[in-house]
Amino acid sequence: MSAPLPAAHATPTPELLQALKDAVGDKGWSDDRQDVAPHLVDERNLYYGVTPLLLRPATVDEVSACVRLCAEARVPIVPQGGNTGLVGGAVPFEHGGEILLCLSRMNRIREVDTVNDSMTAEAGCILETVQTAARDAGRYFPLSLGAQGSCQIGGNIATNAGGCAVLRYGHMRELVLGIEAVLPNGRVYDGLKSLRKDNSGYDLKQLLIGSEGTLGIITAGVLKLFPPPVERHTTFAGVASPEAALDLFSRAREALGDAVTAFELMPRIALDFVLAHIPGTRDPLAAPHPFYVLCEATATRHDLALADALNVLLEKVLEAGLINDATVAAGETQAQALWKLRESVSEAQKHEGGSIKHDISVPIATLPGFIGEASWRVEKLIPGVRVVAFGHVGDGNIHFNLSQPKNAEREAFLSRWDEASRLVHDTVVDMGGSISAEHGIGRLKRDELVRLADPLELDQMHAIKRTLDPHNIMNPGKLVLPG
Ligand code: FAD
Ligand code: ZN
């Protein structure tokens, strides 16, 4: 899966490396093997890269100076945030000709504005730090995902991160009011506007959101804040099928409206994995069920009506046989225990051998059909494969993961990744879905995007890339391969 240094690129010279070091000062670079090593392997251990130099600039001017030097020398540059991305976008290629630039030292919260309900945070701020800063100001920043203790806000913007609260608050695209970024020629785009309404032409900010480091380096963002939820009701219900889960979803929306903040699905096999491998977890329901729904309803002021509406809903759906059993968390500790079951699925799956992972979305109504059809197809391809289809059902987003058959050879199973993925992605496309719901394209899905994207859309993406990055120095070989 290696790529050679693209023909248009130059190998970094000792002079360039020295100029880059001078641009960021002593604290701003490293070429120490041990220090650099964690930055060269991706979260899933799929890619091991090489770089002659890791840069850690502390200001936007330093980022700009570095990019300008690389652009002039035609040397590619890879931006990296918390390196928690799941598609191999933040790790350099094996050829060793790319400079790695980490944003971790740009970690200041520049401003919290409680009148505008916004926060200006530098790219290197850890997501959890941003959530805490919002809370300290009596506000709420809703982006929430398993990697929040280490992913960075710049990485979240660059990947258009989703997570567990998209249903109510939207993904990153909807949570960013403005952006500051260094473009591939080194110029600084100062788009740190905190406007709620701005209809003045093409939206460069939206182009940079989700661009995965291929159109520029994001150095700061203005984020939307919300009133904090003061009440939360977390329900864990056993259901017979994904169809029943979807029926429950519609009824929950009818009964509770916008209060439904999260609606997650997991199959029994996922719960079995969690119970077997994650210490301190227990099955919250008395008997096993084929699928489980984790539904969260929140209110931003104390609202007795919400608790009542939830109780009435649960009574009705139990009576109708739509759910088999359910538990509602009695307090924060129990709510966290229920969330832990859902959030530990990926971790637990690691203990079951190799897994081939997909992050797909389809129109919500077709989700049960997708799970059925794709499961049937992969089970035919790899007898004994264990389908672990879980995720953000309320957004039509399923992590359609495959665990190796019991007692199979890990490497032999993983060698079928492309074959299995093509089958799953073909099923997704047949159903009008997307091969990347929230993790992005990066390196892992680049060729699948070429295979499956609308040619017109791909042409336009290439045109945009060539316009903003004519020398293809910004994270080349990721997301798109401009012709
Ligand atoms: P990195 O991994 O460092 O980089 C990701 C991409 O963005 C790369 O292409 C990189 O070049 C680029 N990039 C990073 N910073 C910048 C910058 N400042 N400017 C320009 N480009 C940049 N994702 C979801 O969407 N939803 C989830 O629910 C979710 N859950 C996860 C759970 C776990 C346990 C893990 C490990 C990951 C999960 N992810 C999820 C994936 C990942 O956390 C997100 O993609 C996250 O937004 C990446 O942020 P990061 O700072 O780690 O970026
Ligand atoms: Zn997810």
Side-chain angles (χ1 to χ4, degrees):
M1 286 210 229
S2 170
L5 186 65
H9 294 159
T11 306
T13 59
E15 293 73 29
L16 173 70
L17 298 180
Q18 189 55 52
L20 288 166
K21 290 174 187 173
D22 292 344
V24 292
D26 283 350
K27 285 189 188 157
W29 62 271
S30 176
D31 55 9
D32 175 76
R33 249 171 201 259
Q34 267 194 329
D35 186 19
V36 178
H39 298 271
L40 296 179
V41 55
D42 72 302
E43 171 74 29
R44 286 183 168 159
N45 297 334
L46 292 174
Y47 306 107
Y48 293 83
V50 178
T51 188
L53 185 63
L54 168 67
L55 295 171
R56 292 192 181 101
T59 64
V60 62
D61 289 342
E62 288 183 6
V63 177
S64 164
C66 294
V67 174
R68 219 175 267 278
L69 285 164
C70 287
E72 281 162 9
R74 305 283 190 266
V75 165
I77 190 159
V78 179
Q80 189 177 87
N83 197 18
T84 69
L86 298 173
V87 289
V91 169
F93 279 96
E94 296 80 350
H95 54 60
E98 294 173 307
I99 304 296
L100 187 57
L101 188 146
C102 270
L103 279 300
S104 51
R105 283 176 74 223
M106 289 199 64
N107 60 0
R108 272 187 323 127
I109 305 257
R110 292 192 194 156
E111 187 189 23
V112 179
D113 180 343
T114 51
V115 176
N116 194 53
D117 276 337
S118 62
M119 176 195 302
T120 307
E122 290 187 345
C125 290
I126 303 288
L127 174 55
E128 220 163 56
T129 310
V130 166
Q131 293 166 341
T132 306
R135 200 175 313 126
D136 290 348
R139 297 293 185 273
Y140 179 60
F141 183 64
L143 186 77
S144 131
L145 41 98
Q148 63 199 26
S150 44
C151 65
Q152 299 176 3
I153 213 70
N156 300 147
I157 297 174
T159 58
N160 182 28
C164 293
V166 173
L167 188 59
R168 167 86 167 269
Y169 296 98
H171 47 177
M172 215 46 191
R173 237 177 241 300
E174 287 147 277
L175 299 175
V176 176
L177 294 170
I179 277 182
E180 175 190 84
V182 174
L183 300 183
N185 56 10
R187 285 180 68 186
V188 177
Y189 162 59
D190 181 2
L192 283 181
K193 296 179 191 168
S194 54
L195 304 175
R196 303 267 158 177
K197 292 182 114 177
D198 178 10
N199 207 4
S200 52
Y202 299 148
D203 194 338
L204 188 51
K205 165 193 76 198
Q206 285 298 345
L207 209 52
L208 286 160
I209 300 175
S211 64
E212 302 183 43
T214 64
L215 297 179
I217 301 183
I218 294 153
T219 49
V222 184
L223 311 171
K224 267 190 207 170
L225 302 180
F226 295 82
V230 292
E231 206 180 296
R232 102 170 159 146
H233 304 274
T234 310
T235 306
F236 193 81
V239 296
S241 62
E243 283 86 351
L246 269 199
D247 206 347
L248 179 62
F249 178 56
S250 303
R251 296 205 194 192
R253 296 271 276 187
E254 272 164 32
L256 312 176
D258 239 8
V260 183
T261 331
F263 197 91
E264 303 281 318
L265 177 78
M266 57 195 274
R268 177 68 205 186
I269 189 171
L271 186 60
D272 280 339
F273 286 0
V274 171
L275 299 177
H277 303 297
I278 307 295
T281 54
R282 62 171 197 88
D283 190 340
L285 302 181
H289 303 280
F291 285 87
Y292 298 89
V293 160
L294 195 148
C295 173
E296 188 152 277
T298 60
T300 52
R301 51 197 187 102
H302 288 292
D303 183 1
L304 286 178
L306 180 59
D308 289 347
L310 180 64
N311 286 334
V312 171
L313 169 73
L314 286 176
E315 265 171 37
K316 274 193 189 162
V317 291
L318 259 172
E319 222 170 77
L322 197 55
I323 63 175
N324 302 332
D325 192 8
T327 179
V328 181
E332 193 54 28
T333 313
Q334 279 185 21
Q336 279 172 13
L338 295 178
W339 270 108
K340 188 171 177 180
L341 298 174
R342 160 63 185 88
E343 283 173 347
S344 305
V345 176
S346 291
E347 181 56 35
Q349 216 189 344
K350 286 185 190 161
H351 298 267
E352 292 285 332
S355 29
I356 298 176
K357 302 199 169 186
H358 307 95
D359 162 41
I360 67 93
S361 64
V362 289
I364 298 185
T366 60
L367 253 181
F370 168 80
I371 294 176
E373 179 67 24
S375 301
W376 181 80
R377 290 191 188 183
V378 294
E379 280 159 4
K380 210 166 114 196
L381 180 75
I382 308 175
V385 70
R386 292 171 294 165
V387 174
V388 187
F390 67 99
H392 321 288
V393 165
D395 311 320
N397 176 193
I398 282 288
H399 299 310
F400 190 81
N401 293 354
L402 311 175
S403 272
Q404 67 177 57
K406 276 187 182 160
N407 306 321
E409 267 288 316
R410 180 192 164 87
E411 293 314 316
F413 174 70
L414 291 181
S415 72
R416 307 197 68 182
W417 189 303
D418 289 349
E419 207 183 342
S421 284
R422 279 196 295 271
L423 204 62
V424 172
H425 291 159
D426 286 345
T427 316
V428 168
V429 171
D430 287 348
M431 294 189 169
S434 165
I435 63 165
S436 178
E438 59 175 9
H439 296 161
I441 297 295
R443 183 170 169 186
L444 183 67
K445 295 188 183 168
R446 187 195 67 191
D447 296 342
E448 280 294 83
L449 186 71
V450 171
R451 188 172 76 85
L452 295 168
D454 174 354
L456 182 145
E457 225 171 329
L458 209 54
D459 277 354
Q460 299 312 306
M461 285 197 225
H462 291 165
I464 289 167
K465 171 74 173 167
R466 281 195 298 266
T467 302
L468 284 177
D469 185 14
H471 305 301
N472 192 22
I473 62 148
M474 200 49 82
N475 213 3
K478 314 286 173 53
L479 208 170
V480 285
L481 275 182

